[in-house]
Amino acid sequence: MSHDLVETYSCMPSTERGRGILISGDPKSNRMLYTNGRSVVIMNLHNPLQVSVYGDHAYPATVARFSPNGEWVASADVSGTVRLWGTRNDFVLKKEFRVLSGRIDDLHWSPDGLRIVACGDAKGNSFVRAFMWDSGTNVGEFDGHSRRVLSCSYKPTRPFRIVTCGEDFLVNFYEGPPFRFKQSHRDHSNFVNCVRYSPDGSKFLSVGSDKKGIIFDGKTGEKIGELSSEGGHTGSIYAVSWSPDGKQVLTVSADKCAKVWDISEDNNGKVKKTLTCPGSGGVEDMLVGCLWLNDYLVTVSLGGTISIFLASDLDKAPTSFSGHMKNVSSLTILRSNPRVLLSSSYDGLIVKWIQGIGYSGKLQRKENSQIKYIAAIEDEIVTSGFDNKIRRVSLHGDQCGDTEAIDIGSQSKDFSVAIQSPDLALVSIDSGVVMLRGTKVVSTINLGFTVSASVVSPDGSEAIIGGQDGKLHIYSISGDTLVEEAVLEKHRGAISVIRYSPDFSMFASGDVNREAVVWDRASQDMKLKNMLYHTARINCLAWSPDSHRIATGSLDTCVIIYEIDQPASNRITIKGAHLGGVYGLVFTDEYNLVSSGEDAFIRVWRITPP
């Protein structure tokens, strides 16, 4: 058997309230770069499903940029490290430099690709550094800032200049190389969030939280104009991006709209068009990042929605898509249509995906509580949260109907719903289990051992409960009570997950000591053993619909697929499926497996039978 990655549903850029994010692109290939957690994501704007990911940073990445020739990427992280790597096969690392002592907020290549300037937060006074890309030696001294520097820009034509701006309300101008402080401007009355040179280097524009945009001469650094306040932004301006011809700019702001400005001959800006992005108008629709790349105008909102407008037709509605920004902890498919996936991340976001199309909308719930597990039955979803409540939410297409919350009195460890009689749900808590029928708690059973995982059979007649001691207890369900039938001992660590096979003839269990076992249900013997190929705890497992194969996902970033009727050594291993660990797995049919993980990505794998 072999495997191929068929589709990748990307995570969205990490955002932070009250701060802009700086995304960038490569005009030659129409690819965009952004970061989320430790991942640097390269997305093709022609086809947003075409995504590649660089995941070798040791700390959360903050900003990344293509070199002028598009062959290299410089990416930086919160520890002040810059990594230089190739954009082609396998992302070969060329160099790694420790540039600042704190987080890097922006970096820029020189137009000849030989120098890089980076700025950010640091201890002491070195908030900006410019260095040679191959040796890391300094090219100049950057004085004049007293607080975190949020953005920097390198003049794209000779004579070279560098301009920086930051939280001390200053815009500083340096000449070089080697670079020396030339002058400082105090025209802004609040944080200056972003500064950018025009493509021909004749001017640069700074925007700030004081709702102003100021235009300076590119060569001398003198102020020569500003963006008109008429029809201007009514909130902090977080980012700015020039059009390829240098005659227009795109700005985004906390007032939830993006504006395209015409820069006139006398260097003043007038609003040409205000772009409104789709959304409900809540806080998560504030726009925090933008990019003008060839014909594409890209905006990013605080809630992680990317909208792509076309410069050639600004009246056309944008293509918008979104996704997760945090660990995707559980996945489920709609039984009625297995091509439709629901995924949830612990921040309370439920996203609907359609295989072959990708993002298909967020499920808007009445209350946005955090989610631990999610299960989908015909026309409702059941969620268990961190607030000790189980919720049954009715589904009408993309909309959530009424929610009924059931308080179970303590934190749920695991929960499972009987698929054929979906009234019955079993929730495990530390001391035992809680049985629910509909929206009522019918019994709370203390089992006398610490429970770590549980599952209820599809027809609701049997339950298997795994303990912290590694034993599996099998119970039959009679009325509202459990009757113990058998105890199985094989695992050497706490049980982390148990699942019945779809044909109900087997069940599988996984533990924190990296072992999985498939059991025969009737004889209670081991059907497949020695499944010891992970190097860390098993987080999730999934059966194929025909019960012929099983997949396990682990904290060690791998997914392993076993055939039930072959020895465990004939396995397929998908290495590095998700940076930080795999947390959700589901088969959509016999040969398609969907996985999700800590990196907020969802990936679809196709397995080819031998």
Side-chain angles (χ1 to χ4, degrees), residues 97 129-138:
F97 300 117
R129 254 189 74 190
F131 56 93
M132 300 300 290
W133 89 296
D134 49 359
S135 62
T137 44
N138 278 0

Side-chain angles (χ1 to χ4, degrees), residues 491-566:
H491 289 284
R492 292 186 288 270
I495 309 290
S496 56
V497 58
I498 315 168
R499 290 286 178 271
Y500 277 102
S501 64
D503 64 6
F504 198 33
S505 67
M506 298 169 278
F507 59 90
S509 52
D511 66 25
V512 298
N513 202 14
R514 68 194 180 77
E515 183 172 18
V517 181
V518 176
W519 308 80
D520 187 275
R521 189 176 151 261
S523 65
Q524 293 174 1
D525 292 336
M526 281 181 275
K527 184 131 184 179
L528 185 59
K529 49 182 189 239
N530 300 336
M531 297 161 71
L532 266 163
Y533 296 99
H534 284 295
T535 55
R537 62 171 288 156
I538 292 177
N539 288 327
C540 50
L541 58 85
W543 287 88
S544 64
D546 59 4
S547 304
H548 283 335
R549 58 190 66 79
I550 179 174
T552 58
S554 156
L555 190 62
D556 64 6
T557 74
C558 298
V559 173
I560 300 183
I561 302 149
Y562 304 92
E563 293 276 340
I564 294 300
D565 47 12
Q566 293 180 0

Side-chain angles (χ1 to χ4, degrees), residues 230-381:
E230 217 174 294
H233 284 294
T234 55
S236 304
I237 305 179
Y238 286 131
V240 59
S241 187
W242 288 83
S243 65
D245 62 4
K247 295 191 173 119
Q248 295 175 321
V249 294
L250 168 67
T251 58
V252 287
S253 157
D255 63 9
K256 308 181 184 62
C257 65
K259 290 185 192 292
V260 177
W261 307 74
D262 277 323
I263 307 294
S264 59
E265 293 299 315
D266 62 353
N267 297 311
N268 283 315
K270 287 193 182 55
V271 177
K272 176 186 175 191
K273 176 111 179 101
T274 299
L275 308 174
T276 45
C277 298
S280 55
V283 171
E284 68 276 1
D285 292 325
M286 288 183 178
L287 298 179
V288 293
C290 67
L291 175 65
W292 191 319
L293 193 66
N294 300 339
D295 193 34
Y296 297 105
L297 280 72
V298 184
T299 65
V300 181
S301 76
L302 184 66
T305 301
I306 294 179
S307 299
I308 304 175
F309 295 86
L310 294 175
S312 48
D313 184 4
L314 285 174
D315 297 324
K316 194 175 159 205
T319 315
S320 290
F321 54 92
S322 189
H324 290 284
M325 297 157 80
K326 300 275 197 308
N327 178 353
V328 182
S329 51
S330 75
L331 275 179
T332 178
I333 53 172
L334 294 182
R335 297 261 173 276
S336 50
N337 179 4
R339 296 186 69 78
V340 179
L341 288 162
L342 294 179
S343 61
S344 73
S345 53
Y346 72 83
D347 52 0
L349 182 62
I350 303 179
V351 180
K352 180 176 168 190
W353 310 88
I354 298 176
Q355 252 180 290
I357 300 168
Y359 176 75
S360 162
K362 297 180 180 180
L363 292 189
Q364 298 295 339
R365 294 179 301 148
K366 301 274 194 323
E367 54 204 9
N368 230 13
S369 51
Q370 294 186 322
I371 296 180
K372 214 168 173 181
Y373 306 105
I374 174 174
I377 318 146
E378 287 312 312
D379 49 359
E380 68 170 355
I381 48 178

Side-chain angles (χ1 to χ4, degrees), residues 203-220:
K203 41 191 168 291
F204 62 89
L205 173 61
S206 65
V207 294
S209 297
D210 54 1
K211 316 179 185 50
K212 283 203 296 211
I214 300 177
I215 300 171
F216 300 88
D217 183 278
K219 191 172 167 185
T220 62

Side-chain angles (χ1 to χ4, degrees), residues 1-6 542-545 549-552 559-563 570-574 585-594 604-610:
M1 290 197 300
S2 63
H3 67 274
D4 300 299
L5 178 61
V6 197
W543 287 88
S544 64
R549 58 190 66 79
I550 179 174
T552 58
V559 173
I560 300 183
I561 302 149
Y562 304 92
E563 293 276 340
N570 293 11
R571 64 199 182 281
I572 303 184
T573 304
I574 304 175
L585 277 178
V586 63
F587 276 91
T588 56
D589 59 34
E590 275 68 52
Y591 297 109
N592 282 318
L593 173 68
V594 184
V604 183
W605 310 88
R606 180 165 297 125
I607 301 154
T608 23

Side-chain angles (χ1 to χ4, degrees), residues 57 95 179 182 200 215 251 285 367 469 589 593 599:
H57 276 281
K95 289 283 182 187
F179 292 95
K182 184 75 194 307
D200 62 359
I215 300 171
T251 58
D285 292 325
E367 54 204 9
D469 54 5
D589 59 34
L593 173 68
D599 56 3

